[in-house]
Amino acid sequence: MRLRALLDTDALGLRLLGGEDELDRTVRGVMTTDLRDPSRYLAGGELVLTGLAWRRDASDTEPFVRILASAGVAALAAGEAELGDVPADIVEACARHRLPLFAVNESVAFATITEHVVRQVSGERAGDLAAVVDRHRRLMTSGPAGGGPDVVLDLLGTDLDLRAWVLSPAGRTIAGSGAAGTALPATVCARLAGEHLAAARTGRRGPHRVAVEGVTYSLFPVRTSGRGAGGASRDVRETVLSDWVLAVEADAGDWPEERLDLLQGVTQLIAVERDRRDAARTVRRRLAQEVLELVQTGAAPAEIAARLRVAAPVLLPGLGAAPHWQVVVARVEWDGGDIEGGPVAQALLEEILVDPGAAGPEPSDRIAVAHTGDEAIALLPLPAVSTEHDGSESGLLADALLESVRAPLSAGLDGDGRLTLGVSASVHSAEGLRGALEEARHARRVAAARPGRVCAAGHQELASHVLLLPFVPDDVRRAFTARLLDPLREYDQRHRAELIPTLEAFLDCDGSWTRCAARLHLHVNTLRYRVGRIEQLTGRDLSRLEDKLDFFLALRMS
């Protein structure tokens, strides 16, 4: 479509501020951003929508406009909702760079313009995708009962013969095309999500092509399109762990430019659906924040109980009795500490606390997550809590939670980030909620003492020796582990003797020579030689309980 056609559509609320001679430019797509440098996401021909959050003063304007012009965008449309009239320095910079400039009336949502452009561009290039866009418009106006992104993906399958899935950063299937038999295995979802996160951290422009189990997939990032949403972030780490991804079972490297544009349009439509879903979470987040503030300020149990009775019908519609609750605490930390991790941790908990076997966004309506600083806190309602054979109560387990998210999220955190989670036991009353919160926080600190990018700990572990480890100062831990383990590491590096793995196996087998030798596929005499070498290098005796315990703790803290 031409820029001139946008001015002829009164519903878009566009007013031309400059570039009358350039109105015959072709619009090939649309992008919403408030990044100071959005060049990595530009391919040329876009109508760029911005709320001007990137502009602190007039000196910011020239670099921003120069970047857009160099990328070959079709035009810039600036919203009037925040600053009123578009500043004169922007008008002048666009004139210098021959970049058409529109003002967007404050009454018009960017999502309206996005949908119109995608529908027009897609309709001109492929009539079949116009059906997808029209259907999605009806879904958005009909509310949650309209079918959500699943219907859009089904139309991709029927009209374009493409199988596609929308995945969360943790690898959960948000939506998928076709029947249940076409669902992706959890291992494939986790691999695709991890590949997407790794590519996003390097700044590579999508789509990203990945081969998994002999099948090629193309990954298209789904970035929120709402005004003031993820597009306003200045650092990819602020959104990388919350953005969805569209995985298409096809090799996009073989596609013509028109087909790539069609799929980019679909991601923009899915982003609108994501914005609507996030807006619906506002009530649950507010409930969680209110309960959390009451708990942390020491409010009376009766007051907390009253708030929980209000929250229960919202989180568990149709449930008569008040549920049991668990508390999950998450913390996302980046090297340097210049990025607030709380919003990222909040978005992550809202995704990863959903049953992995439950497709679609609706199950997440049963979770309330608040955040403060770098920490996010989830109130997880349990409709019924059963008792296991060993007397412990069932519910969310830290190990299971960790197993489901470690692989993909580690890719997004690789290099400079950590995610640590703590899970409380279930409680059945307001009196127990404060203790559950402290228990979850304490478990998270235990998880933080462990190595790895993604770590979790549960309430069961707070009765063991690991409870003490987070409170040992870092310099004491380093000195203790170095004194015991450095001689073994140095010997292993020189002789490839595998003394450290031998020590770990020996302790794990409770000092049993036969079981340890069998596990390591060694003759017992070889094992005795290695253990003797360990004792010689460290001056310790592995037949003594005290020395065994010291080695065990050193390995856990290293």
Side-chain angles (χ1 to χ4, degrees), residues 27-159:
V27 179
R28 299 175 56 249
V30 63
M31 175 193 177
T32 300
T33 186
D34 276 307
L35 289 168
R36 290 186 187 177
D37 181 4
S39 57
R40 72 173 68 177
Y41 305 118
L42 296 173
E46 297 93 342
L47 170 66
V48 174
L49 306 173
T50 179
L52 301 179
W54 50 267
R55 182 186 179 275
R56 294 174 301 183
D57 54 47
S59 64
D60 293 330
T61 298
E62 173 65 23
F64 181 81
V65 174
R66 184 172 61 251
I67 289 170
L68 299 189
S70 299
V73 304
L76 174 64
E80 296 179 323
E82 296 295 331
L83 301 180
D85 292 341
V86 177
D89 53 274
I90 297 179
V91 178
E92 294 167 1
C94 287
R96 283 195 300 272
H97 292 277
R98 301 182 62 83
L99 180 65
L101 174 64
F102 298 96
V104 182
N105 188 280
E106 65 180 45
S107 64
V108 178
F110 281 7
T112 300
I113 301 174
T114 297
E115 184 185 2
H116 177 83
V117 172
V118 171
R119 183 168 64 248
Q120 295 299 319
V121 172
S122 300
E124 292 173 1
R125 292 177 177 170
D128 51 2
L129 192 63
V132 176
V133 178
D134 289 339
R135 173 66 74 87
H136 193 272
R137 175 182 54 79
R138 292 194 296 272
L139 292 178
M140 292 175 61
T141 57
S142 63
D150 289 280
V151 178
V152 177
L153 299 188
D154 284 343
L155 289 174
L156 278 180
T158 57
D159 294 358

Side-chain angles (χ1 to χ4, degrees), residues 278-294 307 310-311 314-315 346 350 367-371 379:
D278 285 346
R281 284 179 167 172
T282 302
V283 173
R284 295 188 297 280
R285 289 175 172 175
R286 186 180 302 121
L287 285 172
Q289 195 71 46
E290 290 174 355
V291 173
L292 176 62
E293 290 175 358
L294 290 174
R307 187 64 62 184
V310 172
V314 176
L315 299 176
Q346 180 183 47
E350 288 173 335
I367 300 166
V369 186
H371 79 81
L379 295 175

Side-chain angles (χ1 to χ4, degrees), residues 382-412:
L382 305 174
V385 179
S386 61
T387 302
E388 305 292 348
H389 297 301
D390 60 1
S392 63
E393 291 182 338
S394 63
L396 181 67
L397 298 178
D399 289 344
L401 179 63
L402 178 64
E403 187 63 29
S404 64
V405 303
R406 179 195 283 119
L409 294 184
S410 293

